[in-house]
PDB file of all heavy atoms in Angstrom:
ATOM      1  N   TYR K 269     -55.485  29.916 -28.047  1.00 86.00           N
ATOM      2  CA  TYR K 269     -56.772  29.864 -28.768  1.00 86.00           C
ATOM      3  C   TYR K 269     -57.905  29.719 -27.769  1.00 86.00           C
ATOM      4  O   TYR K 269     -57.734  29.209 -26.671  1.00 86.00           O
ATOM      5  CB  TYR K 269     -56.788  28.632 -29.684  1.00 86.00           C
ATOM      6  CG  TYR K 269     -55.991  28.743 -30.961  1.00 86.00           C
ATOM      7  CD1 TYR K 269     -54.695  29.287 -30.945  1.00 86.00           C
ATOM      8  CD2 TYR K 269     -56.472  28.307 -32.173  1.00 86.00           C
ATOM      9  CE1 TYR K 269     -53.903  29.381 -32.075  1.00 86.00           C
ATOM     10  CE2 TYR K 269     -55.716  28.351 -33.334  1.00 86.00           C
ATOM     11  CZ  TYR K 269     -54.442  28.905 -33.295  1.00 86.00           C
ATOM     12  OH  TYR K 269     -53.697  28.987 -34.458  1.00 86.00           O
ATOM     13  N   VAL K 290     -60.663  29.429 -32.036  1.00 84.00           N
ATOM     14  CA  VAL K 290     -60.366  30.739 -32.616  1.00 84.00           C
ATOM     15  C   VAL K 290     -59.064  31.203 -32.100  1.00 84.00           C
ATOM     16  O   VAL K 290     -58.860  31.294 -30.855  1.00 84.00           O
ATOM     17  CB  VAL K 290     -61.481  31.762 -32.322  1.00 84.00           C
ATOM     18  CG1 VAL K 290     -61.122  33.146 -32.869  1.00 84.00           C
ATOM     19  CG2 VAL K 290     -62.841  31.307 -32.855  1.00 84.00           C
ATOM     20  N   GLY K 291     -58.131  31.490 -32.979  1.00 83.00           N
ATOM     21  CA  GLY K 291     -56.818  32.017 -32.610  1.00 83.00           C
ATOM     22  C   GLY K 291     -56.533  33.344 -33.294  1.00 83.00           C
ATOM     23  O   GLY K 291     -57.392  33.871 -34.015  1.00 83.00           O
ATOM     24  N   TYR K 292     -55.372  33.869 -33.019  1.00 83.00           N
ATOM     25  CA  TYR K 292     -55.036  35.172 -33.592  1.00 83.00           C
ATOM     26  C   TYR K 292     -54.910  35.156 -35.100  1.00 83.00           C
ATOM     27  O   TYR K 292     -55.197  36.093 -35.814  1.00 83.00           O
ATOM     28  CB  TYR K 292     -53.746  35.697 -32.947  1.00 83.00           C
ATOM     29  CG  TYR K 292     -53.345  37.094 -33.401  1.00 83.00           C
ATOM     30  CD1 TYR K 292     -54.145  38.179 -33.047  1.00 83.00           C
ATOM     31  CD2 TYR K 292     -52.187  37.306 -34.117  1.00 83.00           C
ATOM     32  CE1 TYR K 292     -53.788  39.468 -33.453  1.00 83.00           C
ATOM     33  CE2 TYR K 292     -51.817  38.585 -34.522  1.00 83.00           C
ATOM     34  CZ  TYR K 292     -52.609  39.649 -34.213  1.00 83.00           C
ATOM     35  OH  TYR K 292     -52.276  40.898 -34.573  1.00 83.00           O
ATOM     36  N   GLU K 293     -54.415  34.034 -35.631  1.00 81.00           N
ATOM     37  CA  GLU K 293     -54.148  33.941 -37.039  1.00 81.00           C
ATOM     38  C   GLU K 293     -55.175  33.125 -37.830  1.00 81.00           C
ATOM     39  O   GLU K 293     -55.229  33.167 -39.049  1.00 81.00           O
ATOM     40  CB  GLU K 293     -52.726  33.340 -37.285  1.00 81.00           C
ATOM     41  CG  GLU K 293     -51.603  34.141 -36.699  1.00 81.00           C
ATOM     42  CD  GLU K 293     -51.353  35.452 -37.437  1.00 81.00           C
ATOM     43  OE1 GLU K 293     -51.936  35.601 -38.548  1.00 81.00           O
ATOM     44  OE2 GLU K 293     -50.600  36.271 -36.929  1.00 81.00           O
ATOM     45  N   GLU K 294     -55.955  32.333 -37.088  1.00 83.00           N
ATOM     46  CA  GLU K 294     -56.830  31.407 -37.821  1.00 83.00           C
ATOM     47  C   GLU K 294     -58.061  31.010 -37.036  1.00 83.00           C
ATOM     48  O   GLU K 294     -58.139  31.162 -35.834  1.00 83.00           O
ATOM     49  CB  GLU K 294     -56.032  30.118 -38.184  1.00 83.00           C
ATOM     50  CG  GLU K 294     -55.631  29.331 -36.949  1.00 83.00           C
ATOM     51  CD  GLU K 294     -54.998  27.988 -37.261  1.00 83.00           C
ATOM     52  OE1 GLU K 294     -54.862  27.672 -38.430  1.00 83.00           O
ATOM     53  OE2 GLU K 294     -54.644  27.280 -36.321  1.00 83.00           O
ATOM     54  N   ILE K 295     -59.038  30.447 -37.810  1.00 83.00           N
ATOM     55  CA  ILE K 295     -60.143  29.697 -37.214  1.00 83.00           C
ATOM     56  C   ILE K 295     -59.849  28.254 -37.525  1.00 83.00           C
ATOM     57  O   ILE K 295     -59.636  27.918 -38.721  1.00 83.00           O
ATOM     58  CB  ILE K 295     -61.503  30.107 -37.831  1.00 83.00           C
ATOM     59  CG1 ILE K 295     -61.740  31.593 -37.798  1.00 83.00           C
ATOM     60  CG2 ILE K 295     -62.610  29.361 -37.132  1.00 83.00           C
ATOM     61  CD1 ILE K 295     -62.847  32.049 -38.654  1.00 83.00           C
ATOM     62  N   ASN K 296     -59.823  27.413 -36.559  1.00 83.00           N
ATOM     63  CA  ASN K 296     -59.449  26.035 -36.746  1.00 83.00           C
ATOM     64  C   ASN K 296     -60.586  25.088 -36.392  1.00 83.00           C
ATOM     65  O   ASN K 296     -61.274  25.268 -35.369  1.00 83.00           O
ATOM     66  CB  ASN K 296     -58.241  25.681 -35.828  1.00 83.00           C
ATOM     67  CG  ASN K 296     -57.822  24.219 -35.934  1.00 83.00           C
ATOM     68  OD1 ASN K 296     -58.316  23.392 -35.198  1.00 83.00           O
ATOM     69  ND2 ASN K 296     -56.888  23.936 -36.833  1.00 83.00           N
ATOM     70  N   SER K 310     -58.324  24.827 -41.513  1.00 81.00           N
ATOM     71  CA  SER K 310     -58.119  26.159 -40.949  1.00 81.00           C
ATOM     72  C   SER K 310     -58.441  27.248 -41.972  1.00 81.00           C
ATOM     73  O   SER K 310     -58.220  27.074 -43.164  1.00 81.00           O
ATOM     74  CB  SER K 310     -56.701  26.329 -40.481  1.00 81.00           C
ATOM     75  OG  SER K 310     -56.411  25.413 -39.433  1.00 81.00           O
ATOM     76  N   PHE K 311     -58.965  28.363 -41.474  1.00 80.00           N
ATOM     77  CA  PHE K 311     -59.122  29.561 -42.251  1.00 80.00           C
ATOM     78  C   PHE K 311     -58.154  30.605 -41.695  1.00 80.00           C
ATOM     79  O   PHE K 311     -58.183  30.906 -40.495  1.00 80.00           O
ATOM     80  CB  PHE K 311     -60.567  30.139 -42.132  1.00 80.00           C
ATOM     81  CG  PHE K 311     -61.590  29.330 -42.865  1.00 80.00           C
ATOM     82  CD1 PHE K 311     -62.418  28.439 -42.186  1.00 80.00           C
ATOM     83  CD2 PHE K 311     -61.760  29.484 -44.234  1.00 80.00           C
ATOM     84  CE1 PHE K 311     -63.392  27.753 -42.876  1.00 80.00           C
ATOM     85  CE2 PHE K 311     -62.690  28.764 -44.907  1.00 80.00           C
ATOM     86  CZ  PHE K 311     -63.530  27.904 -44.240  1.00 80.00           C
ATOM     87  N   ILE K 313     -57.138  34.143 -40.783  1.00 74.00           N
ATOM     88  CA  ILE K 313     -57.953  35.312 -40.474  1.00 74.00           C
ATOM     89  C   ILE K 313     -57.855  36.382 -41.547  1.00 74.00           C
ATOM     90  O   ILE K 313     -58.851  37.015 -41.919  1.00 74.00           O
ATOM     91  CB  ILE K 313     -57.501  35.950 -39.126  1.00 74.00           C
ATOM     92  CG1 ILE K 313     -57.791  34.977 -37.956  1.00 74.00           C
ATOM     93  CG2 ILE K 313     -58.134  37.256 -38.855  1.00 74.00           C
ATOM     94  CD1 ILE K 313     -59.239  34.763 -37.693  1.00 74.00           C
TER      95      ILE K 313
END
Side-chain angles (χ1 to χ4, degrees):
Y269 286 42
V290 177
Y292 183 66
E293 299 289 350
E294 66 174 0
I295 307 167
N296 177 273
S310 297
F311 287 101
I313 293 293

